[in-house]
Amino acid sequence: MEKLLQQHKVYIVDDEQKSREALVHILEKYCPNVQIIGVSSNIDDAFQNININTPDILFLDVEMPNGSGFDLLAKFDKIPFSVVFVTGFDKYAMQAIKFSCLDYILKPISIKDVMEIFEKIDNLPIKKEQKIETLLNNFQANATRHKIGIPVGDGYEFLGIDDIIYLEAEGNYTNLFLNNNKKVLSTRTLGDYETIFENYPFVRIHRKHIINLNYLSKYYRGDGGYVLLYNNIQLDVSRRKKENLLNKINAI
Amino acid sequence: MPNNYIYDIDGDKEGNVYVGTYQGGISHFRGKEIIDVHHIIDSKAEMYDILVSHDQSLYVSLEKLYKLDLNPRTNKLKEKRIVYNSQVKRMSQIKPNFMSFTNGSSVYIWELGQDSMYLYPTLYSHNNVKAYNILYKNDYELYIGTTNGVYNLLFPINDDLPKTQKVTKRGEDLALKSNIRYVVDKKITKKQYFNLIPIDIFEEDTYKKEIFKDSTSIDYYISDMQKTSDGSIWISTYKNGVYRIKDHKIIKHYTESIKELTSNLCNRLFIDKQDRVWVATMRGISLIDYPRGMIRKITTDDGLVSNHITSIFKHDSLIYVGTSEGLNILDEKSVSSLNSAPPILIEEVKINEKNVPLKGQYKLKHNENSLYFKFNSISYNQKITYKYRIKNLDDKWLYTKDNYIRIPKIPKGKYVFEVKSINKDGLESLEKAQVFLQIKPHILYSFWAYLTYAILLILSVLAFVYFNIKRVRDKEQLNTQMAELEIKALQSQMNPHFVFNSMNAIQAYIFKNETEKASSYLSDFSTLIRSFLELSRKTFISLGQSLEAVQLYIKLEQMRTEDKFDFVLDIAPDVEMDIEIPTIVLQPFVENAIVHGLLNKKEKGILRIILQKKNEYNLIIRIEDNGIGREASKALKQNKQRKHPSRGMQIVEEHLNVLSKNKDYNLQIDIIDNVLDGSGTIVIMNLPID
């Protein structure tokens, strides 16, 4: 018996016409199990239509002049669909998306990326509710407790950023050391985390380590010196990262 | 003295005098002090008044008025003569050769030495009038204070009878109940002062009463009133000391309780030519030297026959003292209690226990601060004590019986050592002996030292500021350099040659209708551009990130050139992907190898990137190509006049220079022309692992 591929109802929100056309073209040509149920150029129109006809997957542009993709998500009480962001080169949007471990594709859209997304959706159970919650929580301007989704071996773990004491490179993986004495092994590299945490009080002090400055209790000067963290954790500071550390300490 | 009849006075070799008295044995007077004291008259009668007239005659009022003749050399009594055969209360010299006196009820004018005297009839006509004092107003007028008011007496002219006028008549309605005792005035002032009980003050011509608020506080019986040249009125009382009144106020009350008077029981006042107030009290004489702010006393200790003083008069240096036991005459020069203690001299000075010559001023080093002074009063047969102080260190006077003083360890500063002698009566020497001292601070605390410190401090502050500014500037310069490098790095990666060639490639796929290839190439191209943009903002990136970008670049170049070369990436197993390398190093050399080496080769070439660790601290990256080699490439470049300038190497060089200078990151690059087959280039980079 032929394997019945799941039929996906897709909705597309993008303010740029050429971008919408490209995505529609790829979906129609390369994804036979996709049904495009609607296309919108702004979030208000999209909100109305989606409420009437709910998709399985929403391809959502982030940067739009009359309200961003995040704004659209914030309008829903409950989100019963998967979200795939479509973004160009917006640093903050990328950071927010990576934080929440939501799916995204980059412009210009490649056929391969789109197909990989569907493969992922078909094969992986996604905790989409929690991801979106994380995203919207962090997206709020006055959010007090920022959360981050950590891709781990068998899925995702959602942590408060403030709970992370430091991160340690473990090959291409990263160990996160938490203030409850737990350790989480993430499948992201330490370099990824350095980028993700760029606007947070985290600083790379060594090629092996990123520390949360909120847990820094003392810095001992030396060639590079070393830091003393919460619970008397002692970590070396590399020569070239010393200045970086001092700059960030001074900036606080 | 126990008794008053002296029958013999004898002196011993040491100057002590023993006075034998009729009943009481011997009184002992010390030393020289008695020599000028003369017990002139022995009389039981109270000595009411004493007067030395202009012709130097001495008049004394006892039970009768006597004129006394003394031997001017010895002051011994030669002769006494009765002038008036009854008791006289007050006497006054009025004109050069006249005196006036009153027996209490009558007033007489007597031309000195004559037999006859004038009697003022008006006073005489009043039976109960008592006269208290006589005031000489001018050559023709007297005032008499009586219990019946004040009388103005005019002198007799051309043997006329003297005329009397009761001056207070006009003021009678001003509550003058005829009990005026004293008239106090000097002719130079306009004011007249009349005493009532209590005291009232009246203006001379109008007799208008003036306000005297304190009048009721002097409610004791008044014994005398006198005026000093400053306008103060001095009032002695029988029970309550002496008041000084000025500008209608009591400005001072002298009493025995604060040792200003020998007794509160005061009989008479005498004002001498130096404006000193002599107070005759029941316990000796008090001298109020108010112009000099000094108070002294004369008692039996100074040779007085008695302390019960009833009258006092001073003429030149002689003090005539009327006591209940006779008249004493003292020369004030010889009364030790009137004189200051003998002068004092500093005899010897030692500094740090070494004698130094006597000087008025010593400038001493910080460690020459232990001092010794020896001083002496000019030898005098009495016990002298000393008081001294070190002014500026402790201004309090200290007392000693020794004639030397040792002062240990005075701190730096300027001082005056002062010493005065004090005689047994507590009188000090007029002059103090003094030595000026300056203890200089230790050289480290001197002015010059402080100046040096100040200059050093300023210099170090300036240096600090200068180096800080320099540091900030250097840092700014560094930041600018780094920013420039970022741009240059991006320029070198996204060089137009690569960008336009890539677009060209995409266009070619479109023309050939190879849409999927176009899309794939495009998305790789955009990924690469994105990573260029991202990574160029950082100075260092991980080896993994760098390789990812360079592999994508190689892939695009391979696609574009339809696999003109093969690519081999050879990573030793111990090379960790999180080693940090400068963002710019890999891509420009790879680009060089492809563009200038491999693409110019006719056959298919091979690009090899080999990563291995030299040791724990060094990573070796080898980029090998078997292209046409650098020489051929250079020649080719000149032939073709290519517009794409090979700026990549230049930028890498600049970049690495800055890193070396500012980040202490030293990377070694060797470029070797492949000598084996005469083509190709090997770039060997030796990167430090942090």
Side-chain angles (χ1 to χ4, degrees):
Chain A
M1 214 170 98
E2 193 190 345
K3 189 184 172 191
L4 241 169
L5 277 173
Q6 204 187 329
Q7 197 71 18
H8 295 296
K9 288 195 279 181
V10 169
Y11 200 96
I12 298 167
V13 184
D14 199 320
D15 65 317
E16 265 186 76
Q17 198 193 336
K18 287 290 169 226
S19 197
R20 290 196 299 271
E21 283 175 7
L23 186 55
V24 168
H25 176 79
I26 291 168
L27 289 173
E28 281 177 346
K29 194 161 181 188
Y30 300 97
C31 307
N33 54 343
V34 164
Q35 182 201 350
I36 299 169
I37 61 165
V39 176
S40 290
S41 65
N42 63 72
I43 64 166
D44 294 329
D45 185 39
F47 184 64
Q48 272 187 344
N49 292 336
I50 290 168
N51 272 332
I52 297 162
N53 192 359
T54 308
D56 299 318
I57 302 167
L58 176 66
F59 282 86
L60 181 58
D61 188 12
V62 180
E63 311 92 30
M64 289 180 286
N66 298 315
S68 75
F70 300 156
D71 291 330
L72 175 62
L73 294 180
K75 284 178 173 229
F76 293 101
D77 292 331
K78 219 178 164 212
I79 297 175
F81 45 81
S82 299
V83 178
V84 178
F85 286 105
V86 182
T87 183
F89 193 71
D90 183 297
K91 211 172 124 188
Y92 295 104
M94 287 286 286
Q95 200 178 29
I97 294 163
K98 280 184 179 172
F99 254 74
S100 54
C101 297
L102 281 160
D103 295 311
Y104 63 94
I105 52 176
L106 294 168
K107 291 178 183 177
I109 302 155
S110 81
I111 302 161
K112 196 181 87 196
D113 286 352
V114 174
M115 292 179 73
E116 275 172 11
I117 286 287
F118 280 104
E119 226 168 89
K120 218 172 166 185
I121 290 167
D122 283 340
N123 297 329
L124 278 174
I126 303 168
K127 294 181 187 170
K128 60 190 177 204
E129 287 281 342
Q130 205 172 9
K131 287 180 180 177
I132 290 167
E133 192 191 299
T134 302
L135 174 81
L136 295 180
N137 172 59
N138 292 349
F139 189 61
Q140 282 164 11
N142 58 354
T144 51
R145 196 177 143 80
H146 281 212
K147 283 179 129 188
I148 183 166
I150 306 292
V152 293
D154 55 350
Y156 299 92
E157 207 158 301
F158 289 84
L159 304 171
I161 290 172
D162 297 338
D163 298 332
I164 303 166
I165 302 174
Y166 72 103
L167 302 91
E168 185 178 68
E170 173 90 41
N172 279 330
Y173 296 146
T174 302
N175 270 319
L176 287 79
F177 292 84
L178 309 179
N179 63 2
N180 56 5
N181 287 330
K182 277 187 182 163
K183 188 169 94 172
V184 178
L185 183 68
S186 165
T187 53
R188 277 192 184 129
T189 66
L190 194 65
D192 288 338
Y193 282 109
E194 192 182 4
T195 314
I196 289 173
F197 283 137
E198 204 175 304
N199 296 310
Y200 290 85
F202 284 80
V203 63
R204 182 98 177 245
I205 57 163
H206 190 265
R207 70 189 164 92
K208 288 270 183 212
H209 293 117
I210 292 174
I211 60 162
N212 184 345
L213 288 176
N214 290 325
Y215 289 99
L216 174 65
S217 53
K218 207 159 184 184
Y219 168 61
Y220 293 90
R221 276 173 192 276
D223 190 17
Y226 62 94
V227 289
L228 209 60
L229 301 181
Y230 171 79
N231 272 353
N232 284 331
I233 298 160
Q234 188 182 320
L235 298 173
D236 284 340
V237 178
S238 73
R239 241 163 6 110
R240 275 184 283 123
K241 299 290 183 189
K242 176 177 159 183
E243 197 190 331
N244 198 24
L245 171 68
L246 293 177
N247 284 344
K248 203 123 182 190
I249 289 171
N250 289 336
I252 289 174
Chain B
M1 288 237 317
N3 210 319
N4 43 35
Y5 191 80
I6 302 167
Y7 64 89
D8 190 20
I9 299 176
D10 201 1
D12 66 11
K13 275 180 266 181
E14 292 170 81
N16 289 331
V17 175
Y18 300 91
V19 182
T21 66
Y22 190 66
Q23 290 171 329
I26 294 167
S27 284
H28 179 225
F29 292 91
R30 278 159 300 165
K32 296 177 178 176
E33 295 154 21
I34 197 166
I35 280 178
D36 294 322
V37 179
H38 303 281
H39 189 188
I40 304 289
I41 295 174
D42 177 29
S43 168
K44 284 287 176 197
E46 188 168 333
M47 196 172 288
Y48 279 107
D49 211 356
I50 303 164
L51 178 73
V52 177
S53 65
H54 290 182
D55 62 356
Q56 311 295 320
S57 303
L58 171 64
Y59 297 90
V60 177
S61 162
L62 286 158
E63 80 284 359
K64 291 167 187 167
L65 180 59
Y66 294 99
K67 179 175 185 269
L68 304 182
D69 250 344
L70 303 180
N71 182 327
R73 196 175 48 84
T74 61
N75 272 342
K76 293 232 163 112
L77 181 64
K78 276 201 312 204
E79 191 194 348
K80 64 177 177 185
R81 198 163 73 90
I82 295 167
V83 173
Y84 180 71
N85 209 3
S86 174
Q87 206 172 50
V88 164
K89 301 279 189 197
R90 291 287 162 103
M91 293 181 274
S92 178
Q93 170 98 39
I94 46 176
K95 293 209 290 180
N97 48 349
F98 282 90
M99 81 187 272
S100 173
F101 59 87
T102 174
N103 58 9
S105 54
S106 302
V107 177
Y108 295 89
I109 300 250
W110 180 52
E111 189 173 357
L112 302 176
Q114 302 300 311
D115 290 333
S116 60
M117 50 187 71
Y118 298 99
L119 169 70
Y120 283 84
T122 317
L123 248 76
Y124 188 63
S125 63
H126 288 84
N127 250 344
N128 296 322
V129 171
K130 280 189 178 169
Y132 277 88
N133 79 339
I134 302 168
L135 191 90
Y136 173 75
K137 189 181 179 190
N138 57 40
D139 276 359
Y140 314 103
E141 283 182 89
L142 284 177
Y143 284 110
I144 309 287
T146 76
T147 49
N148 194 31
V150 174
Y151 289 84
N152 176 232
L153 307 183
L154 297 176
F155 286 114
I157 301 161
N158 303 328
D159 292 347
D160 289 348
L161 285 175
K163 285 175 188 162
T164 313
Q165 193 185 2
K166 192 179 176 190
V167 295
T168 52
K169 251 183 203 162
R170 281 178 276 170
E172 260 178 344
D173 49 336
L174 296 167
L176 282 178
K177 293 198 173 154
S178 70
N179 197 12
I180 293 176
R181 306 269 178 93
Y182 299 94
V183 182
V184 184
D185 190 34
K186 298 262 164 159
K187 52 193 169 179
I188 40 164
T189 69
K190 273 270 176 191
K191 296 268 164 62
Q192 283 192 336
Y193 301 91
F194 303 116
N195 159 236
L196 284 172
I197 299 174
I199 293 161
D200 279 326
I201 297 166
F202 295 89
E203 224 169 78
E204 183 176 33
D205 296 326
T206 58
Y207 301 101
K208 209 176 134 194
K209 198 169 164 183
E210 293 191 356
I211 299 156
F212 177 46
K213 281 184 190 162
D214 296 328
S215 89
T216 49
S217 39
I218 308 174
D219 53 357
Y220 288 96
Y221 209 77
I222 286 160
S223 57
D224 204 354
M225 286 177 80
Q226 296 290 342
K227 194 172 164 191
T228 46
S229 61
D230 68 324
S232 300
I233 298 160
W234 298 75
I235 296 170
S236 61
T237 67
Y238 284 116
K239 279 173 96 175
N240 204 26
V242 172
Y243 294 90
R244 181 181 171 194
I245 294 164
K246 200 178 177 190
D247 299 328
H248 307 167
K249 274 184 295 202
I250 294 173
I251 60 169
K252 176 110 175 127
H253 182 198
Y254 297 85
T255 63
E256 65 178 58
S257 64
I258 45 173
K259 304 266 189 266
E260 289 163 332
L261 292 179
T262 48
S263 164
N264 277 346
L265 313 176
C266 304
N267 289 322
R268 284 296 296 270
L269 296 171
F270 182 85
I271 313 286
D272 70 12
K273 281 174 183 159
Q274 289 113 54
D275 245 7
R276 295 186 293 185
V277 181
W278 299 76
V279 186
T281 80
M282 296 296 272
R283 284 191 213 109
I285 299 163
S286 288
L287 174 61
I288 302 171
D289 188 358
Y290 80 91
R292 259 157 250 104
M294 289 196 283
I295 288 177
R296 286 155 186 206
K297 57 183 182 172
I298 305 171
T299 64
T300 48
D301 284 352
D302 298 292
L304 285 180
V305 71
S306 164
N307 277 338
H308 182 177
I309 316 295
T310 53
S311 56
I312 185 161
F313 193 90
K314 185 165 174 281
H315 183 77
D316 294 336
S317 69
L318 294 179
I319 308 156
Y320 297 83
V321 185
T323 76
S324 59
E325 303 190 16
L327 174 68
N328 279 168
I329 303 171
L330 298 87
D331 191 331
E332 69 174 338
K333 289 174 199 151
S334 64
V335 178
S336 68
S337 63
L338 291 183
N339 293 310
S340 46
I344 184 163
L345 286 172
I346 291 173
E347 283 186 343
E348 196 181 330
V349 178
K350 286 182 189 175
I351 292 163
N352 290 352
E353 302 300 326
K354 278 183 194 156
N355 273 307
V356 293
L358 288 175
K359 280 197 287 182
Q361 189 177 6
Y362 293 94
K363 285 187 176 176
L364 302 170
K365 291 181 193 155
H366 73 281
N367 53 359
E368 295 178 330
N369 61 348
S370 285
L371 305 172
Y372 169 91
F373 296 100
K374 190 178 174 194
F375 31 82
N376 223 331
S377 278
I378 285 166
S379 187
Y380 202 87
N381 189 18
Q382 58 174 314
K383 195 82 183 159
I384 298 288
T385 56
Y386 301 93
K387 73 173 188 181
Y388 68 94
R389 65 175 175 179
I390 302 155
K391 219 164 136 188
N392 294 343
L393 186 66
D394 185 1
D395 286 353
K396 210 169 68 194
W397 288 98
L398 300 168
Y399 294 82
T400 178
K401 285 177 180 169
D402 301 323
N403 67 336
Y404 62 87
I405 187 74
R406 222 176 273 280
I407 306 157
K409 307 268 175 203
I410 322 180
K412 71 176 171 91
K414 287 183 176 177
Y415 309 101
V416 189
F417 172 74
E418 295 178 340
V419 60
K420 279 182 137 190
S421 59
I422 303 167
N423 70 8
K424 66 164 181 65
D425 294 298
L427 291 168
E428 297 169 7
S429 56
L430 291 174
E431 300 292 327
K432 59 195 170 198
Q434 60 184 20
V435 171
F436 291 90
L437 300 168
Q438 185 182 351
I439 315 281
K440 289 180 184 169
H442 191 276
I443 187 72
L444 289 176
Y445 301 100
S446 72
F447 168 75
W448 292 108
Y450 280 120
L451 188 69
T452 312
Y453 299 153
I455 289 169
L456 284 176
L457 183 71
I458 289 165
L459 283 179
S460 56
V461 167
L462 286 178
F464 178 76
V465 169
Y466 172 77
F467 285 114
N468 254 334
I469 288 172
K470 192 172 182 302
R471 202 169 57 89
V472 169
R473 275 200 195 140
D474 286 353
K475 207 172 173 185
E476 273 169 13
Q477 204 185 346
L478 167 69
N479 287 343
T480 317
Q481 272 179 341
M482 297 304 280
E484 279 170 9
L485 280 182
E486 254 177 43
I487 294 166
K488 282 178 179 172
L490 193 59
Q491 276 176 356
S492 79
Q493 289 168 322
M494 297 228 293
N495 72 60
H497 173 66
F498 167 66
V499 171
F500 293 119
N501 278 338
S502 294
M503 287 177 169
N504 226 22
I506 296 161
Q507 196 188 36
Y509 289 131
I510 293 166
F511 285 153
K512 290 197 267 176
N513 232 356
E514 295 175 303
T515 47
E516 279 173 40
K517 272 189 178 170
S519 172
S520 169
Y521 191 95
L522 188 62
S523 81
D524 283 342
F525 179 68
S526 62
T527 305
L528 186 61
I529 297 294
R530 191 175 277 113
S531 101
F532 282 165
L533 287 170
E534 187 73 43
L535 300 180
S536 69
R537 291 189 299 122
K538 295 176 183 171
T539 317
F540 289 91
I541 54 172
S542 73
L543 182 61
Q545 281 175 306
S546 192
L547 281 176
E548 213 173 288
V550 92
Q551 274 178 278
L552 196 54
Y553 170 74
I554 293 165
K555 184 184 164 195
L556 283 171
E557 291 293 74
Q558 278 176 321
M559 272 173 81
R560 187 170 64 83
T561 58
E562 309 217 311
D563 295 326
K564 183 92 201 246
F565 63 94
D566 286 326
F567 170 57
V568 177
L569 180 60
D570 188 354
I571 304 173
D574 60 340
V575 174
E576 296 137 323
M577 282 301 114
D578 54 15
I579 293 173
E580 299 219 310
I581 63 167
T583 314
I584 199 157
V585 286
L586 217 46
Q587 205 257 345
F589 287 100
V590 170
E591 185 181 331
N592 243 20
I594 295 170
V595 175
H596 303 302
L598 295 166
L599 295 191
N600 288 322
K601 191 179 170 149
K602 281 172 189 148
E603 311 84 43
K604 189 170 182 173
I606 184 160
L607 174 69
R608 220 187 277 271
I609 297 179
I610 302 152
L611 302 167
Q612 52 197 191
K613 270 168 106 174
K614 187 182 176 187
N615 52 40
E616 207 184 325
Y617 308 104
N618 290 86
L619 173 71
I620 305 291
I621 301 178
R622 289 167 67 102
I623 301 164
E624 294 180 10
D625 71 76
N626 58 354
I628 59 167
R630 286 197 297 170
E631 288 303 315
S633 173
K634 220 179 262 175
L636 205 63
K637 227 188 252 177
Q638 277 159 359
N639 288 343
K640 286 190 180 174
Q641 292 280 307
R642 294 209 5 206
K643 283 191 181 157
H644 164 56
S646 177
R647 289 191 60 224
M649 288 306 108
Q650 199 188 325
I651 289 167
V652 171
E653 209 171 301
E654 275 178 40
H655 208 120
L656 296 177
N657 275 342
V658 173
L659 288 185
S660 162
K661 215 178 352 178
N662 299 321
K663 301 263 184 188
D664 197 20
Y665 184 91
N666 291 301
L667 181 149
Q668 192 193 333
I669 300 176
D670 294 309
I671 302 175
I672 302 162
D673 297 311
N674 195 337
V675 285
L676 281 177
D677 60 354
S679 68
T681 310
I682 303 171
V683 177
I684 303 170
M685 284 183 260
N686 188 342
L687 300 95
I689 301 172
D690 195 26

